């Protein structure tokens, strides 16, 4: 635990800790409520979905749902606020959308990939942004597929390797740049350090780079605005923050990188209420809270007169060690500033409150 | 023989004895004075003073003052009594000896006890210090914990408040929506009734369906939902984007810290492949085992033993081409060359063998010895006796007990001296 208690620094307070009897891979807040969802894999190889409610100083289990295959990831990003359907990806490559009130039969189901779906993201739902709701899944079979819940079986976009070439596992996907009906961008991170940015409007590769370490997690600071910042975390304790407003034809996007700790950085999540604050979770069970500061000028001209971006700087607001095992999933509550849930591989899910965020 | 100091003077009180000892010019330090309960000795070589005391004294409290060429003893008696004399006059040699030894032993014991007592006190002090620091740290920690606890409680209360607000907010919203819905449905119903009387208008149909849909689902939001759906764009046309990945040989994820190791591994693999493939044309007609450097080495050894030196050299040559990092190959080839009187080649090969046999460790002693001997022999046969001697000496350094080596080294030395003399 961090010993420094500067009067104005945000504090990470552990509110509730819940021991689980299964490995939790993902935890998500149910939007517009004080309920949270834990997804994981039970010891007997089946998938588990648990719905908890935050009541007082404990988590009350509301529902437990068991599925035949372990579930790796889930998102509420592509549903409306009234329906609140959960989209999940499981170990078998199936994408399912569930109505949690009637979870026996999925609302939408497709065997999208040949191998485990490592990461899932949704856009267009929850009253955020415009455009059709879409779900993107990234899988170990090296492909990234975008699905529309209104269209069965066939993905709307498929990013796969050229025929005959080797493939790399896709570890993470994220939507961004969804500021009007047509624009959408998908960012995918792979295990060989590649980050690729696909533009769905033009159906082409917009940018790619390699950050020399497998990419564990990518996230745009906001999905529904003109792309502003992208954080990509990787193995070996490094993460990069790219300034996405200015793309140079050869140099790509400007970035600042930070080496936070010796272990892998598993997740990055931006605070829904302030897009310059984000939290990274590490393999040593620690959480770091960062703030990005913009430079005086976000772009400058290089020697040939092309615009290139200028990266800002990062400052560490707080760090705390909660567990001895990696914290693999992290989610901020969109409704209450500073409330977040994290799930770690020591089979516990923790609800944390980060204080004083409105003073930053 | 020590010089006895006998000119001492003393006086006594019932509790103490005062002894004054002139030192005749010698310098005294506390180390020269030895005192126990019944025995007092001052030894400043070559001077010596000893006294077996009449009665026991308290030697811890007694003092000795050194100064002015004099030692002044203040001895406190154990039992207050007046002594007849300072020393026990009737003591004979044996008793004296016994008393002396006893005294020494006692002094040693005392010293031991003192050190132990000191140790114990030291430990206790340490413990105390440790406990004190621990208490301080504990207090600090408690203070921090208390602060955190306060913070936590504050935050928990806020959370509860927010949750309750949420619940109330939700209820309020749902009530509001129901009201709105009723309000909207009412005029529609009225209109419907009106229009029923008139001719059918398409609006009716749509209003009917609208009503139906709300009744069917019972949820208030489908209204807005439907409207929104009509505004959503159609699903995209399916398309595929082809990607190329940064090439990576290994199936594992890329880690910066492992890159160096991976490069090394790949390099070694490439080396091995190159060697195997380089002479592919010539090696095609050889059997599988004939491509194994070890097998070739054995073959070479056998041929050497049988006297077929040229054959052995050939075998070793092929083996070296396949794997040029085995020192034994060069070593054995050097022996062959010696027999064949290819002295320069012998020297080359033994040198190469020695190079490969770094670092010099006991394990490759044998091999290095042989290498030196062979090179030495070659040098001598070329009449480069000094170099030969150097090698022989190196060999002797490795194995100093080898008689043959010594004899040969001697011979060479004689030869050198002989040539020097003659020239």
């Amino acid at each position: 635990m961090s010993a420094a208690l500067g009067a104005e620094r945000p504090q990470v307070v552990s509110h509730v800790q819940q021991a689980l009897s299964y490995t939790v891979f993902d935890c998500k807040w149910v939007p517009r409520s004080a309920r949270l969802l834990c997804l994981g894999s039970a010891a007997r190889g089946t998938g588990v979905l648990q719905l908890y409610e935050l009541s007082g100083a404990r988590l009350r289990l509301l529902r437990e749902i068991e599925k035949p295959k372990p579930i790796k990831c889930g998102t509420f990003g592509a549903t409306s606020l009234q329906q609140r359907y959960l989209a999940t990806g499981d170990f078998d490559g199936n994408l399912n959308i569930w109505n949690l009130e009637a979870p026996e039969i999925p609302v939408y189901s497709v065997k999208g990939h040949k191998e485990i779906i490592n990461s899932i993201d949704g856009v267009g739902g929850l009253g955020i942004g415009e455009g059709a709701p879409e779900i993107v899944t990234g899988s170990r079979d090296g492909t990234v597929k975008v699905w529309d819940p209104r269209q069965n079986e066939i993905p709307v976009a498929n990013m796969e390797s050229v025929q005959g070439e080797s493939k790399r596992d896709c570890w993470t996907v994220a939507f961004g740049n969804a500021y009007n009906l047509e624009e959408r961008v998908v960012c995918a991170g792979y295990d060989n350090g590649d980050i690729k940015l696909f533009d769905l409007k033009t159906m082409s590769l917009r940018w790619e780079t390699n950050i020399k370490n497998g990419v564990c997690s990518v996230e745009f600071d906001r999905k529904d605005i003109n792309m502003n910042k992208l954080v990509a975390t990787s193995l070996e304790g490094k993460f990069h923050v790219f300034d996405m407003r200015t793309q140079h034809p050869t140099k790509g996007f400007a970035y600042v990188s930070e080496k936070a700790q010796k272990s892998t950085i598993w997740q990055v999540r931006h605070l829904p209420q302030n897009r310059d604050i984000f939290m990274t979770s590490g393999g040593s069970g620690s959480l770091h809270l960062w703030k990005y500061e913009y430079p005086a000028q976000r772009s400058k001209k290089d020697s040939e007169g092309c615009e290139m971006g200028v990266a800002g700087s990062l400052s560490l607001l707080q760090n705390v060690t909660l567990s001895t095992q990696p914290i693999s999933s992290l989610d901020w509550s969109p409704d209450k500033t500073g409330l977040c849930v994290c799930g770690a591989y020591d089979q516990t899910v923790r609800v944390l409150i980060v204080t004083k965020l409105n003073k930053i | 023989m020590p010089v006895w100091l006998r000119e001492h003077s003393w006086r006594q009180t019932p509790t103490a004895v005062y002894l004054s000892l002139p030192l005749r010019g010698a310098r005294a330090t506390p180390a020269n004075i030895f005192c126990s309960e019944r025995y007092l000795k001052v030894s400043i070589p070559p001077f010596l003073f000893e006294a077996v005391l009449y009665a026991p004294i308290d030697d811890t409290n007694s003092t000795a003052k050194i100064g002015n060429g004099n030692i002044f003893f203040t001895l406190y008696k154990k039992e207050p009594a007046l002594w007849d004399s300072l020393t026990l006059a009737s003591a004979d040699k044996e008793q004296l000896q016994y008393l002396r030894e006893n005294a020494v032993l006692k002094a040693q014991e005392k010293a031991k006890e003192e050190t132990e007592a000191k140790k114990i006190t030291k430990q206790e002090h340490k413990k105390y210090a440790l406990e004190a620091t621990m208490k301080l740290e504990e207090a600090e920690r408690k203070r921090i914990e208390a602060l955190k606890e306060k913070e936590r409680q504050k935050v928990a209360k806020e959370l509860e408040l927010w949750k309750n607000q949420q619940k109330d907010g939700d209820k309020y919203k749902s009530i509001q929506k129901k009201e709105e819905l009723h309000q909207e449905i009412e005029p529609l119903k009225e209109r419907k009734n009106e229009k029923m009387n008139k001719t059918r208008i398409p609006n009716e149909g749509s209003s009917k369906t609208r009503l139906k849909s709300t009744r069917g689902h019972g949820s208030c939001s489908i209204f807005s939902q439907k409207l929104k759906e009509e505004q959503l764009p159609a699903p995209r046309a399916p398309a595929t984007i082809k990607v190329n990945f940064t090439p990576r040989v290994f199936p594992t994820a890329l880690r910066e810290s492992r890159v160096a190791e991976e490069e090394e591994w790949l390099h070694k693999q490439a080396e091995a492949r190159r060697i195997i493939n380089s002479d592919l044309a010539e090696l095609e007609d050889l059997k599988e085992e004939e491509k194994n450097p070890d097998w070739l080495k054995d073959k070479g050894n056998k041929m050497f033993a049988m006297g077929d030196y040229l054959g052995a050299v050939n075998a070793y040559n092929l083996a070296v081409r396949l794997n040029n990092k085995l020192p034994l190959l060069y070593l054995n080839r050097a022996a062959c060359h010696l027999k064949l009187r290819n002295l320069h080649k012998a020297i080359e090969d033994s040198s190469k063998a020695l190079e490969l046999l770094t670092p010099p460790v006991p394990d490759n002693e044998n091999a290095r010895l042989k290498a030196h001997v062979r090179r030495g022999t070659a040098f001598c046969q070329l009449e480069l006796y000094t170099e030969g001697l150097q090698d022989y000496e190196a060999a002797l350094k490795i194995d100093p007990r080898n008689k043959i080596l010594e004899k040969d080294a001697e011979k060479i030395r004689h030869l050198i001296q002989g040539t020097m003399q003659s020239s």
Side-chain angles (χ1 to χ4, degrees):
Chain A
M1 283 284 210
S2 162
L5 278 181
E8 291 310 313
R9 280 173 81 179
Q11 296 302 318
V12 178
V13 175
S14 173
H15 184 61
V16 184
Q17 202 163 303
Q18 175 78 14
L20 304 169
S21 58
Y22 56 93
T23 309
V24 58
F25 287 113
D26 204 359
C27 48
K28 285 278 185 303
W29 288 103
V30 178
R32 292 280 189 281
S33 71
R35 290 196 288 270
L36 66 94
L37 199 64
C38 294
L39 310 169
S41 156
R44 50 181 174 273
T46 57
V48 179
L49 268 141
Q50 279 189 335
L51 187 64
Y52 285 96
E53 168 143 35
L54 194 61
S55 71
R58 4 171 259 115
L59 283 175
R60 195 161 56 96
L61 178 64
L62 294 180
R63 277 196 94 135
E64 178 156 351
I65 304 163
E66 191 163 338
K67 290 294 163 203
K69 294 281 176 213
I71 303 177
K72 181 70 165 52
C73 49
T75 179
F76 281 105
T79 60
S80 65
L81 278 171
Q82 292 79 20
Q83 287 175 325
R84 290 186 280 187
Y85 291 162
L86 174 72
T88 60
D90 69 10
F91 274 43
D92 221 22
N94 299 313
L95 166 68
N96 294 314
I97 302 184
W98 308 98
N99 178 355
L100 292 171
E101 314 283 319
E104 295 78 30
I105 305 186
V107 167
Y108 177 91
S109 174
V110 65
K111 178 144 166 71
H113 294 273
K114 299 193 193 78
E115 298 192 60
I116 178 178
I117 294 181
N118 278 319
S119 171
I120 191 172
D121 195 15
V123 73
L126 299 180
I128 302 173
E130 306 174 26
E134 281 173 342
I135 297 171
V136 65
T137 53
S139 158
R140 194 206 257 172
D141 65 5
T143 61
V144 173
K145 295 189 181 164
V146 182
W147 309 88
D148 189 312
R150 301 168 292 180
Q151 181 174 294
N152 281 326
E153 295 303 312
I154 306 175
V156 155
N158 182 1
M159 289 70 136
E160 61 180 8
S161 61
V162 172
Q163 196 75 336
E165 296 249 330
S166 62
K167 341 189 243 218
R168 303 306 314 183
D169 300 0
C170 174
W171 277 357
T172 176
V173 287
F175 270 118
N177 205 28
Y179 62 89
N180 65 20
L181 292 174
E182 293 103 29
E183 289 284 344
R184 279 289 151 82
V185 129
V186 167
C187 182
Y190 297 86
D191 75 341
N192 64 347
D194 279 347
I195 300 179
K196 295 187 193 299
L197 198 64
F198 303 105
D199 188 330
L200 293 183
K201 182 169 161 198
T202 60
M203 283 296 179
S204 63
L205 177 68
R206 186 151 158 185
W207 168 67
E208 59 181 345
T209 184
N210 186 301
I211 60 174
K212 308 268 186 306
N213 280 301
V215 183
C216 294
S217 173
V218 284
E219 202 195 33
F220 285 94
D221 57 353
R222 288 278 180 272
K223 291 189 243 203
D224 56 334
I225 58 170
N226 198 355
M227 29 181 213
N228 189 29
K229 296 204 302 298
L230 173 72
V231 179
T233 70
S234 72
L235 306 174
E236 317 252 303
K238 288 219 181 102
F239 68 93
H240 302 252
V241 182
F242 294 89
D243 183 322
M244 304 300 269
R245 279 286 158 86
T246 323
Q247 182 168 11
H248 188 270
T250 46
K251 294 188 198 151
F253 295 103
Y255 68 93
V256 60
S257 71
E258 186 83 33
K259 187 173 165 95
Q261 55 213 41
K262 291 215 185 95
S263 52
T264 305
I265 301 188
W266 285 71
Q267 278 282 17
V268 62
R269 286 282 179 259
H270 287 89
L271 186 62
Q273 292 82 10
N274 182 340
R275 64 185 183 184
D276 299 322
I277 299 181
F278 57 91
M279 181 107 95
T280 56
S281 71
S284 51
S286 59
L287 292 172
H288 292 248
L289 189 67
W290 300 89
K291 180 166 167 65
Y292 179 81
E293 267 124 30
Y294 293 96
Q297 286 208 312
R298 282 188 76 173
S299 70
K300 62 177 189 204
K301 290 230 190 292
D302 70 352
S303 48
E304 275 114 43
C306 291
E307 288 277 330
M308 60 184 253
V310 178
S313 62
L314 285 166
S315 61
L316 177 63
L317 294 175
Q318 185 59 274
N319 81 349
V320 67
T321 304
L322 297 171
S323 162
T324 52
Q325 299 296 321
I327 296 183
S328 58
S329 61
L330 190 55
D331 192 34
W332 294 101
S333 165
D335 308 306
K336 169 111 180 79
T337 310
L339 183 64
C340 65
V341 64
C342 66
Y345 282 150
D346 57 357
Q347 296 196 344
T348 43
V349 66
R350 294 173 175 84
V351 176
L352 312 167
I353 303 175
V354 183
T355 59
K356 301 199 187 78
L357 284 173
N358 43 10
K359 295 205 186 111
I360 298 180
Chain B
M1 273 305 295
V3 179
W4 291 95
L5 294 168
R6 297 210 195 272
E7 302 148 355
H8 58 272
S9 55
W10 70 292
R11 55 183 184 83
Q12 61 169 315
T13 66
T15 49
V17 173
Y18 302 102
L19 173 63
S20 171
L21 183 67
L23 287 175
R24 283 223 239 149
R27 292 263 174 93
T29 61
N32 299 121
I33 304 175
F34 176 74
C35 176
S36 76
E37 274 188 357
R38 296 204 64 176
Y39 179 71
L40 177 65
K41 176 174 86 164
V42 179
S43 158
I44 308 164
F47 300 108
L48 177 62
F49 169 78
E50 68 171 9
V52 179
L53 298 165
Y54 188 82
I57 55 156
D58 186 358
D59 56 333
T60 37
N61 289 331
S62 308
T63 58
K65 196 159 144 198
I66 306 172
N68 294 337
N70 206 340
I71 305 184
F72 192 72
F73 290 98
T74 312
L75 309 169
Y76 293 100
K77 298 184 187 168
K78 269 224 170 125
E79 289 161 11
L82 279 177
W83 291 4
D84 291 339
S85 70
L86 181 62
T87 59
L88 271 177
S90 56
D92 60 24
K93 228 183 179 175
E94 274 188 19
Q95 219 182 8
L96 274 175
Q97 185 76 348
Y98 168 75
L99 276 169
R100 271 193 217 122
E101 283 175 9
N102 215 5
V104 171
L105 278 171
K106 276 219 189 112
Q108 278 180 351
E109 273 177 33
K110 241 208 200 161
K112 245 198 272 176
E113 276 175 28
E114 268 177 33
T115 44
E116 284 200 20
K118 251 202 232 166
K119 245 202 276 179
I120 291 174
T121 35
K122 220 174 154 190
Q123 271 185 355
E124 279 181 11
H125 282 170
K126 265 201 212 156
K127 254 201 222 167
Y128 177 72
L130 191 61
E131 275 174 22
T133 27
M134 274 170 64
K135 271 202 207 118
L136 280 172
E137 284 181 2
E138 190 61 39
E140 181 66 24
R141 240 179 289 154
K142 281 217 179 90
R143 186 182 70 85
I144 293 177
E145 276 302 314
L147 278 168
K148 285 205 173 137
E149 195 53 43
K150 250 201 311 183
E151 187 89 27
R152 203 179 304 174
Q153 282 171 357
K154 201 167 58 144
V155 143
K157 269 194 227 140
E158 276 180 30
L159 198 58
E160 277 305 307
L161 242 113
W162 167 73
K163 250 191 39 182
N164 293 335
Q165 266 179 3
Q166 284 282 70
K167 279 206 190 125
D168 294 336
D170 277 338
K171 275 192 219 147
Y172 183 65
K173 266 193 214 148
S174 59
I175 294 174
Q176 244 195 347
K177 278 210 173 115
K178 281 201 187 123
E179 286 182 11
E180 279 178 18
L181 199 56
H182 278 304
Q183 286 176 3
E184 285 176 359
I185 294 180
E186 285 300 322
L188 276 173
K189 271 200 189 143
E190 284 177 15
R191 247 188 275 152
K192 188 179 154 207
N193 291 334
E194 280 175 24
K195 282 165 190 169
M196 287 277 253
N197 304 331
K198 294 187 191 167
T199 45
R200 267 209 213 130
I201 308 169
N203 271 341
E204 190 189 85
S206 56
S207 68
K208 251 203 196 146
T209 45
R210 265 200 219 135
L211 272 174
K212 261 200 214 140
S213 57
T214 43
R215 247 187 279 146
H217 289 257
S219 154
C220 41
S221 56
I222 296 297
F223 230 142
S224 39
Q225 178 90 337
K226 265 225 148 172
L227 282 171
K228 206 175 179 201
E229 262 185 46
E230 288 159 15
Q231 288 173 6
L232 283 177
R236 286 174 215 272
T240 312
I241 305 176
K242 293 290 180 193
V243 285
N244 284 309
F245 293 107
T246 313
R248 182 163 165 76
V249 179
F250 301 90
T252 53
L254 176 61
R255 275 179 189 272
E256 231 174 322
S257 56
R258 288 255 190 273
V259 169
E261 278 175 39
E262 290 173 359
E263 289 292 306
E264 218 188 294
W265 189 85
L266 286 172
H267 189 67
K268 282 196 195 145
Q269 295 289 83
E271 270 281 327
R273 244 178 286 131
R274 189 180 51 77
I275 291 174
I276 294 175
N277 293 334
S278 58
D279 309 307
L280 212 47
E282 299 170 32
L283 299 179
E284 260 172 21
D285 49 340
L286 289 176
K287 292 195 289 221
E288 193 51 50
E289 55 179 4
E290 289 175 348
K291 290 193 204 155
N292 181 357
D294 282 315
W295 185 88
L296 286 166
K297 183 177 70 132
D298 287 333
K299 201 83 167 103
N301 291 350
K302 276 190 232 149
M303 287 199 258
F304 183 89
M306 287 196 308
D308 177 10
Y309 301 123
L310 282 172
V313 168
N314 275 335
Y316 292 133
N317 282 348
L318 186 55
V320 159
R321 248 199 359 207
L322 291 171
N323 184 344
N324 56 1
K325 300 256 188 296
L326 294 174
L328 288 176
L329 294 175
Y330 293 101
L331 204 54
N332 295 355
R333 204 168 64 173
C336 300
H337 282 309
L338 266 182
K339 295 283 186 191
L340 291 170
R341 305 227 47 171
N342 296 338
L343 301 167
H344 288 283
K345 289 218 180 131
I347 294 172
E348 253 179 55
D349 275 340
S350 1
S351 304
K352 191 82 203 280
L354 276 174
E355 244 178 62
L356 286 168
L357 284 168
T358 50
V361 284
D363 272 348
N364 54 20
E365 235 173 40
N366 219 347
R368 276 185 296 129
L369 183 68
K370 284 197 210 146
H372 278 299
V373 169
R374 284 171 194 166
R375 202 166 64 174
T377 325
F379 275 128
C380 293
Q381 293 191 355
L382 281 171
E383 304 203 355
L384 296 167
Y385 292 113
T386 28
E387 281 83 358
L389 188 57
Q390 271 176 8
D391 267 317
Y392 267 94
E393 309 226 295
L396 269 174
K397 235 187 356 174
I398 300 176
D399 184 8
R401 272 177 264 130
N402 193 327
K403 296 288 174 204
I404 308 174
L405 279 179
E406 272 188 56
K407 263 200 306 180
D408 286 335
E410 274 302 307
K411 260 195 274 174
I412 299 173
R413 264 186 227 115
H414 282 309
L415 275 168
I416 294 177
Q417 284 171 352
T419 46
M420 275 173 35
Q421 277 175 355
S422 59
S423 59

